[in-house]
Structures are given as C-alpha cells and as structure tokens.
Amino acid sequence: MKLLFQIFGVMLMLSGGLWALQGLGIVMWPAESFMLAERSWALYGTITFLIGAALFWFGSRRKR
C-alpha cells in the first residue's frame, strides 16, 4: 500500500506540473491542447500537484 501511495503521488505530481505549466503558457505542447495559456488550468495543476505531493509524503511516512 505504501508503494501504491508513492506511485500515485508521483503520477499526480507529474500531471499536475504539466497542467500548471501549460496553463501558465510555459509549455505550449501539444499545440492543439485546450489548456494552453488558460490560467484556470494553472490553478487546477497546482492543486493536483499538491495532492500528489501529500500522497507521496503520506506513503513515505507510513509504517509497514
């Protein structure tokens, strides 16, 4: 279970980071994405990243 929390946390951090960077207009890939330069996606990405970081932290702190 510990490993599952860590893996899911990393996946959320990676996707949230991409969403935030796309929303800020820093990453303009893929070109047809609806998230590009949309500030709301920067917020959604940041929230997703923080949830992922919390899951990763929780998974690394759990005892066996």
Side-chain angles (χ1 to χ4, degrees), residues 12-40:
L12 283 175
M13 286 190 292
L14 290 174
S15 62
L18 178 62
W19 295 351
L21 293 174
Q22 284 178 329
L24 292 172
I26 295 171
V27 173
M28 299 300 281
W29 171 84
E32 63 275 355
S33 177
F34 59 91
M35 293 188 232
L36 301 179
E38 290 288 331
R39 296 289 177 168
S40 59

Side-chain angles (χ1 to χ4, degrees), residues 1-17 45-60:
M1 196 66 159
K2 178 179 179 177
L3 182 63
L4 186 64
F5 277 114
Q6 290 177 329
I7 291 171
F8 193 60
V10 167
M11 288 172 35
L12 283 175
M13 286 190 292
L14 290 174
S15 62
T46 302
I47 292 169
T48 303
F49 182 89
L50 292 174
I51 291 169
L55 282 175
F56 183 82
W57 177 81
F58 182 71
S60 66

